[in-house]
PDB file of all heavy atoms in Angstrom:
ATOM      1  N   GLN O  87       2.871   9.794 -10.704  1.00  0.00           N
ATOM      2  CA  GLN O  87       1.765  10.549 -10.144  1.00  0.00           C
ATOM      3  C   GLN O  87       2.098  12.034 -10.215  1.00  0.00           C
ATOM      4  O   GLN O  87       3.223  12.429  -9.957  1.00  0.00           O
ATOM      5  CB  GLN O  87       1.517  10.167  -8.677  1.00  0.00           C
ATOM      6  CG  GLN O  87       0.986   8.763  -8.480  1.00  0.00           C
ATOM      7  CD  GLN O  87       0.606   8.496  -7.040  1.00  0.00           C
ATOM      8  OE1 GLN O  87       1.158   7.635  -6.374  1.00  0.00           O
ATOM      9  NE2 GLN O  87      -0.364   9.252  -6.545  1.00  0.00           N
ATOM     10  N   SER O  88       1.081  12.809 -10.560  1.00  0.00           N
ATOM     11  CA  SER O  88       1.295  14.252 -10.598  1.00  0.00           C
ATOM     12  C   SER O  88       0.023  14.975 -10.177  1.00  0.00           C
ATOM     13  O   SER O  88      -1.086  14.457 -10.347  1.00  0.00           O
ATOM     14  CB  SER O  88       1.721  14.697 -12.009  1.00  0.00           C
ATOM     15  OG  SER O  88       0.705  14.405 -12.939  1.00  0.00           O
ATOM     16  N   PRO O  89       0.180  16.172  -9.563  1.00  0.00           N
ATOM     17  CA  PRO O  89       1.449  16.762  -9.174  1.00  0.00           C
ATOM     18  C   PRO O  89       1.970  16.132  -7.884  1.00  0.00           C
ATOM     19  O   PRO O  89       1.286  15.313  -7.277  1.00  0.00           O
ATOM     20  CB  PRO O  89       1.074  18.233  -8.949  1.00  0.00           C
ATOM     21  CG  PRO O  89      -0.348  18.163  -8.467  1.00  0.00           C
ATOM     22  CD  PRO O  89      -0.979  17.024  -9.220  1.00  0.00           C
ATOM     23  N   LYS O  90       3.140  16.531  -7.434  1.00  0.00           N
ATOM     24  CA  LYS O  90       3.689  16.021  -6.178  1.00  0.00           C
ATOM     25  C   LYS O  90       2.956  16.657  -5.002  1.00  0.00           C
ATOM     26  O   LYS O  90       2.697  16.007  -3.990  1.00  0.00           O
ATOM     27  CB  LYS O  90       5.176  16.306  -6.099  1.00  0.00           C
ATOM     28  CG  LYS O  90       5.849  15.670  -4.900  1.00  0.00           C
ATOM     29  CD  LYS O  90       7.358  15.826  -4.973  1.00  0.00           C
ATOM     30  CE  LYS O  90       8.010  15.115  -3.797  1.00  0.00           C
ATOM     31  NZ  LYS O  90       9.498  15.210  -3.861  1.00  0.00           N
ATOM     32  N   TYR O  91       2.636  17.955  -5.131  1.00  0.00           N
ATOM     33  CA  TYR O  91       1.868  18.688  -4.133  1.00  0.00           C
ATOM     34  C   TYR O  91       0.686  19.352  -4.829  1.00  0.00           C
ATOM     35  O   TYR O  91       0.807  19.845  -5.952  1.00  0.00           O
ATOM     36  CB  TYR O  91       2.711  19.766  -3.446  1.00  0.00           C
ATOM     37  CG  TYR O  91       3.864  19.221  -2.645  1.00  0.00           C
ATOM     38  CD1 TYR O  91       5.139  19.125  -3.194  1.00  0.00           C
ATOM     39  CD2 TYR O  91       3.665  18.786  -1.333  1.00  0.00           C
ATOM     40  CE1 TYR O  91       6.190  18.616  -2.451  1.00  0.00           C
ATOM     41  CE2 TYR O  91       4.726  18.284  -0.591  1.00  0.00           C
ATOM     42  CZ  TYR O  91       5.979  18.199  -1.161  1.00  0.00           C
ATOM     43  OH  TYR O  91       7.019  17.693  -0.424  1.00  0.00           O
ATOM     44  N   LEU O  92      -0.457  19.390  -4.147  1.00  0.00           N
ATOM     45  CA  LEU O  92      -1.661  19.986  -4.710  1.00  0.00           C
ATOM     46  C   LEU O  92      -2.405  20.716  -3.607  1.00  0.00           C
ATOM     47  O   LEU O  92      -2.558  20.200  -2.498  1.00  0.00           O
ATOM     48  CB  LEU O  92      -2.545  18.907  -5.319  1.00  0.00           C
ATOM     49  CG  LEU O  92      -3.790  19.334  -6.092  1.00  0.00           C
ATOM     50  CD1 LEU O  92      -3.429  20.257  -7.250  1.00  0.00           C
ATOM     51  CD2 LEU O  92      -4.534  18.112  -6.603  1.00  0.00           C
ATOM     52  N   PHE O  93      -2.854  21.931  -3.935  1.00  0.00           N
ATOM     53  CA  PHE O  93      -3.566  22.740  -2.961  1.00  0.00           C
ATOM     54  C   PHE O  93      -5.002  22.917  -3.420  1.00  0.00           C
ATOM     55  O   PHE O  93      -5.257  23.234  -4.581  1.00  0.00           O
ATOM     56  CB  PHE O  93      -2.886  24.102  -2.796  1.00  0.00           C
ATOM     57  CG  PHE O  93      -1.477  23.986  -2.303  1.00  0.00           C
ATOM     58  CD1 PHE O  93      -0.411  23.906  -3.193  1.00  0.00           C
ATOM     59  CD2 PHE O  93      -1.221  23.930  -0.944  1.00  0.00           C
ATOM     60  CE1 PHE O  93       0.888  23.788  -2.730  1.00  0.00           C
ATOM     61  CE2 PHE O  93       0.084  23.818  -0.475  1.00  0.00           C
ATOM     62  CZ  PHE O  93       1.135  23.734  -1.369  1.00  0.00           C
ATOM     63  N   ARG O  94      -5.932  22.707  -2.504  1.00  0.00           N
ATOM     64  CA  ARG O  94      -7.350  22.816  -2.836  1.00  0.00           C
ATOM     65  C   ARG O  94      -8.002  23.925  -2.020  1.00  0.00           C
ATOM     66  O   ARG O  94      -7.762  24.039  -0.820  1.00  0.00           O
ATOM     67  CB  ARG O  94      -8.066  21.503  -2.549  1.00  0.00           C
ATOM     68  CG  ARG O  94      -9.466  21.425  -3.184  1.00  0.00           C
ATOM     69  CD  ARG O  94     -10.265  20.243  -2.679  1.00  0.00           C
ATOM     70  NE  ARG O  94     -11.065  20.601  -1.505  1.00  0.00           N
ATOM     71  CZ  ARG O  94     -12.074  19.882  -1.056  1.00  0.00           C
ATOM     72  NH1 ARG O  94     -12.396  18.749  -1.671  1.00  0.00           N
ATOM     73  NH2 ARG O  94     -12.747  20.261   0.014  1.00  0.00           N
ATOM     74  N   LYS O  95      -8.813  24.705  -2.688  1.00  0.00           N
ATOM     75  CA  LYS O  95      -9.592  25.735  -2.004  1.00  0.00           C
ATOM     76  C   LYS O  95     -10.952  25.158  -1.643  1.00  0.00           C
ATOM     77  O   LYS O  95     -11.400  24.154  -2.226  1.00  0.00           O
ATOM     78  CB  LYS O  95      -9.757  26.958  -2.889  1.00  0.00           C
ATOM     79  CG  LYS O  95      -8.450  27.657  -3.228  1.00  0.00           C
ATOM     80  CD  LYS O  95      -8.705  28.861  -4.121  1.00  0.00           C
ATOM     81  CE  LYS O  95      -7.398  29.549  -4.474  1.00  0.00           C
ATOM     82  NZ  LYS O  95      -7.630  30.713  -5.381  1.00  0.00           N
ATOM     83  N   GLU O  96     -11.632  25.811  -0.735  1.00  0.00           N
ATOM     84  CA  GLU O  96     -12.969  25.386  -0.331  1.00  0.00           C
ATOM     85  C   GLU O  96     -13.899  25.303  -1.531  1.00  0.00           C
ATOM     86  O   GLU O  96     -13.905  26.195  -2.378  1.00  0.00           O
ATOM     87  CB  GLU O  96     -13.547  26.384   0.688  1.00  0.00           C
ATOM     88  CG  GLU O  96     -12.917  26.329   2.054  1.00  0.00           C
ATOM     89  CD  GLU O  96     -13.388  25.131   2.850  1.00  0.00           C
ATOM     90  OE1 GLU O  96     -14.464  24.594   2.552  1.00  0.00           O
ATOM     91  OE2 GLU O  96     -12.666  24.741   3.773  1.00  0.00           O
ATOM     92  N   GLY O  97     -14.665  24.212  -1.637  1.00  0.00           N
ATOM     93  CA  GLY O  97     -15.646  24.085  -2.700  1.00  0.00           C
ATOM     94  C   GLY O  97     -15.085  23.717  -4.053  1.00  0.00           C
ATOM     95  O   GLY O  97     -15.817  23.666  -5.046  1.00  0.00           O
TER      96      GLY O  97
END
Side-chain angles (χ1 to χ4, degrees):
Chain O
Q87 292 187 242
S88 62
K90 187 172 183 178
Y91 296 95
L92 186 58
F93 299 92
R94 194 191 91 163
K95 297 180 181 179
E96 288 284 338

